[in-house]
Amino acid sequence: MEQVDTGASRAPLLSTGLAARTRAASVTVGGTAISYWVYEPVRVTPGTRTILVVHGFRGDHHGLLRVADQLTDMRLIMPDLPGFGASAALEGTEHTVDAYGGFVGGFMAALGLGTDTVLLGHSFGSIVASHFVAANPGAVAELILVNPIAAPALEGPKGLMTKLAVFYYEAAARLPQRLGLALLRSQAIVRVMSEAMAKTRDKEIRRFVHAQHSAYFSAFADRDSLLQAFKASVGSNVSEVAGQLTLPVLLIAGEKDEIALLADQHKLAALLPDGTLEVIPGVGHLIHYETPEPAARYIRRFLKDHAA
């Protein structure tokens, strides 16, 4: 069932305890300055795991905060990907899926994250995470993909909209800098996108979603790296490497996702050697904003079921 705004008082969308768990830090990976945040568990239990989180396209670590807030028994590490948020763009290389995968490996090495690490990717982050795991078997213990990009973006019913988005990013990259940045950071365009993706009827959550997109969707390093990352996001998908993902994989899908269609999630799940698909009703591509509670519940249960 979709959430309905009842008007009743309730807890804030982000708890006051999240700040106490938060530690901001920075590290240099392959010559690139990376900002990241660590969310420590409130209490360490036998089930406490370290989860490395890879956010989606044009997002940053803020996007997964509501999920982190629910996983109080886990240690989460959330970097801003190169070229997004507070992290610098990659130098001397394009922002491809392989390059982002190289960043994940370098980041894990820099922080000393071992093979017991859980890797979580949302949306574009699902592509980066899955391709990294396929190229580096044994690097992590489990893989969690939220709103995974399960099929080619340029094909199928959403192909036309993807091609229009390609035109938008290419046009913005070719325009004079001031005009190009104004187009990319247009609050009107951001709001249209935000309205289209939000599925909840809860007015407070909708306001939160729009405020998050308004504040962070335009935090990118430059137009060139943004265009490269966008082309990477629409040029690859998880299904390409599904057969190589031999570790336990959890897919968390939205019933009403118009970017990562539910039918494609079922097809992806069938390709995984050890896959579990959980579907959250009434939500689209914004599980991390709109339904963090069931997402966290599925994550916790999955990790418990696959404990060493």
Side-chain angles (χ1 to χ4, degrees), residues 15-35:
S15 76
T16 55
L18 184 63
R21 298 172 52 205
T22 305
R23 175 171 59 87
S26 61
V27 67
T28 299
V29 178
T32 301
I34 299 296
S35 295

Side-chain angles (χ1 to χ4, degrees), residues 125-206:
S126 74
I127 300 174
V128 173
S130 61
H131 281 246
F132 168 77
V133 169
N136 300 273
V140 299
E142 294 95 4
L143 178 64
I144 299 170
L145 306 178
V146 181
N147 293 120
I149 306 301
L154 293 169
E155 300 175 8
K158 60 184 183 297
L160 176 60
M161 293 304 296
T162 302
K163 290 172 184 176
L164 290 173
V166 171
F167 174 78
Y168 165 73
Y169 282 102
E170 288 184 337
R174 293 187 181 121
L175 286 169
Q177 182 176 11
R178 184 176 178 182
L179 290 176
L181 288 175
L183 180 61
L184 289 170
R185 291 177 170 146
S186 166
Q187 286 293 305
I189 293 176
V190 170
R191 184 56 179 261
V192 168
M193 174 279 303
S194 189
E195 290 283 359
M197 288 200 294
K199 301 304 179 187
T200 180
R201 295 178 182 175
D202 186 307
K203 293 180 181 178
E204 185 177 357
I205 294 178
R206 289 188 75 93

Side-chain angles (χ1 to χ4, degrees), residues 58-299:
R58 285 193 74 162
D60 63 15
H61 72 284
H62 290 93
L64 279 296
L65 287 185
R66 294 202 73 206
V67 177
D69 204 8
Q70 294 294 319
L71 294 170
T72 57
D73 53 338
M74 303 291 171
R75 179 176 183 251
L76 289 91
I77 302 176
M78 299 187 186
D80 284 351
L81 286 176
F84 294 102
S87 292
L90 297 171
E91 292 286 347
T93 185
E94 290 203 358
H95 295 69
T96 63
V97 172
D98 286 345
Y100 279 118
F103 158 74
V104 171
F107 183 79
M108 289 184 65
L111 270 64
L113 299 178
T115 57
D116 58 341
T117 302
V118 180
L119 185 60
L120 184 154
H122 171 256
S123 190
F124 174 52
S126 74
I127 300 174
V128 173
S130 61
H131 281 246
F132 168 77
V133 169
N136 300 273
V140 299
E142 294 95 4
L143 178 64
I144 299 170
L145 306 178
V146 181
N147 293 120
I149 306 301
L154 293 169
E155 300 175 8
K158 60 184 183 297
L160 176 60
M161 293 304 296
T162 302
K163 290 172 184 176
L164 290 173
V166 171
F167 174 78
Y168 165 73
Y169 282 102
E170 288 184 337
R174 293 187 181 121
L175 286 169
Q177 182 176 11
R178 184 176 178 182
L179 290 176
L181 288 175
L183 180 61
L184 289 170
R185 291 177 170 146
S186 166
Q187 286 293 305
I189 293 176
V190 170
R191 184 56 179 261
V192 168
M193 174 279 303
S194 189
E195 290 283 359
M197 288 200 294
K199 301 304 179 187
T200 180
R201 295 178 182 175
D202 186 307
K203 293 180 181 178
E204 185 177 357
I205 294 178
R206 289 188 75 93
R207 284 194 294 268
F208 178 83
V209 167
H210 299 329
Q212 289 281 300
H213 285 147
S214 176
Y216 306 118
F217 202 67
S218 297
F220 54 86
D222 56 70
R223 294 182 295 167
D224 290 339
S225 62
L226 183 65
L227 175 61
Q228 293 164 11
F230 174 72
K231 288 184 175 180
S233 74
V234 300
S236 297
N237 64 83
V238 179
S239 295
E240 294 171 324
V241 296
Q244 300 166 252
L245 305 178
T246 56
L247 75 177
V249 180
L250 171 64
L251 309 177
I252 304 179
E255 177 196 20
K256 296 186 175 183
D257 197 332
E258 296 168 341
I259 295 175
L261 302 176
L262 182 57
D264 293 330
Q265 307 300 325
H266 285 285
K267 293 176 184 176
L268 172 60
L271 296 174
L272 294 169
D274 186 4
T276 301
L277 172 63
E278 301 287 1
V279 179
I280 302 178
V283 67
H285 203 64
L286 302 180
I287 286 173
H288 56 313
Y289 284 140
E290 295 184 10
T291 56
E293 296 90 348
R297 186 167 61 250
Y298 290 138
I299 290 169

